[in-house]
Amino acid sequence: MRLPIVAGNWKLNCSRESASSLAREVAEVPVAGVEVIVCPVSVHLADVAQVVAGTDVALGAQNASAQESGAYTGEVSSTMLAEFGCKYVIIGHSERRSLFGDSEKSCAQRHQAVKEAGLIPIFCVGESLEERESGNTMTVVKSQLQALFDLAGPKAFNNAVVAYEPVWAIGTGKTASPDQAQEVHQAIRQFIFAQDSDSANALRLLYGGSVNPGNAQELFAKPDIDGGLIGGAALKSKDFLAVCKAAAPNT
Ligand code: PEP
């Protein structure tokens, strides 16, 4: 049995004060049987770490450098994130790939750096609308996954988390249907299984893309969907907690 995870990606949407109060509201309500993660921007990590210390809520970052140290202005290394109490790091979010030029190779290097620092990457993959409509969903997703195998070998996904986030569903209000999501999740697990069955069986595979309290339960009921990566609905504690509860076993 894989422990379900729900991670809230706050992006650039909280002030210092609202990040702490949102974290407080989330941490006040334990959700049994689900690992709940909040991912503020780096400059809010210290504040939010203090708020969630001693609670069941884990801390995540939104990106990490591929480098450990050196002349890389503006970057933050995984070791530094670990010093602030991070357990998880989102890598390869579609906004990073499309807006900031994070290539497949650089995402793989960042993923590796996160693992080497003892943290757990949440590695995002997903296709654009054009890629889906031209029948290329799995070609795109496999290529994003393959970059990790190329760098790190068959154990690349050992103790990792993957988030399938169709780009056309992120922040758009359009959700993949539970069947569409399950189809891709199953294919991702099979692709990883072909390299390493243990990693694939243990892999926690999250769905992301306009998840909300109204659609979460149906998505999370699918056998290969082990939780969610949540954007918009993570900005209101009531909605986020409802999504977290929907991931609990037997809801
Ligand atoms: C995301 O940013 O990863 C995301 C899934 O956002 P939303 O839930 O708003 O679609």
Side-chain angles (χ1 to χ4, degrees), residues 10-242:
W10 295 348
K11 309 188 185 184
L12 205 52
N13 289 318
C14 292
S15 65
R16 183 175 184 183
E17 197 185 326
S18 66
S20 287
S21 47
L22 182 53
R24 198 164 297 113
E25 288 163 19
V26 171
E28 263 166 17
V29 184
V31 184
V34 179
E35 186 160 22
V36 175
I37 308 165
V38 293
C39 304
V41 292
S42 297
V43 291
H44 295 159
L45 285 171
D47 288 348
V48 174
Q50 266 193 344
V51 174
V52 301
T55 75
D56 291 337
V57 174
L59 188 63
Q62 296 178 13
N63 194 19
S65 174
Q67 315 298 333
E68 170 64 28
S69 64
Y72 302 101
T73 303
E75 290 285 88
V76 178
S77 79
S78 293
T79 310
M80 292 165 183
L81 296 173
E83 284 173 347
F84 279 84
C86 282
K87 180 173 176 191
Y88 290 92
V89 187
I90 300 171
I91 294 293
H93 191 280
S94 68
E95 289 151 17
R96 296 293 326 169
R97 293 180 192 262
S98 66
L99 302 174
F100 300 100
D102 291 7
S103 64
E104 287 187 353
K105 189 173 169 201
S106 127
C107 290
Q109 289 167 335
R110 289 165 198 267
H111 185 273
Q112 192 59 17
V114 170
K115 288 183 81 179
E116 280 167 11
L119 304 183
I120 303 173
I122 300 175
F123 187 70
C124 301
V125 296
E127 81 289 2
S128 66
L129 186 59
E130 200 188 344
E131 289 160 345
R132 171 162 282 267
E133 286 176 346
S134 56
N136 285 321
T137 296
M138 277 323 293
T139 310
V140 170
V141 169
K142 282 181 185 172
S143 167
Q144 292 166 339
L145 297 169
Q146 184 62 43
L148 267 66
F149 286 127
D150 291 347
L151 181 73
K155 291 274 176 203
F157 291 93
N158 144 38
N159 195 29
V161 176
V162 170
Y164 168 57
E165 299 208 302
V167 178
W168 48 272
I170 297 177
T172 58
K174 283 187 203 152
T175 317
S177 71
D179 287 341
Q180 278 176 322
Q182 166 59 22
E183 187 185 15
V184 179
H185 280 231
Q186 188 178 23
I188 291 173
R189 206 180 294 284
Q190 281 168 352
F191 184 67
I192 294 172
F193 190 95
Q195 297 278 347
D196 180 44
S197 57
D198 290 344
S199 301
N201 290 332
L203 180 74
R204 288 180 292 169
L205 203 35
L206 315 184
Y207 169 77
S210 299
V211 178
N212 61 47
N215 59 26
Q217 199 156 344
E218 220 189 329
L219 284 159
F220 298 162
K222 292 291 179 187
D224 286 295
I225 303 184
D226 305 308
L229 179 55
I230 318 299
L235 296 172
K236 288 195 182 130
S237 57
K238 189 165 164 273
D239 288 352
F240 184 59
L241 286 163

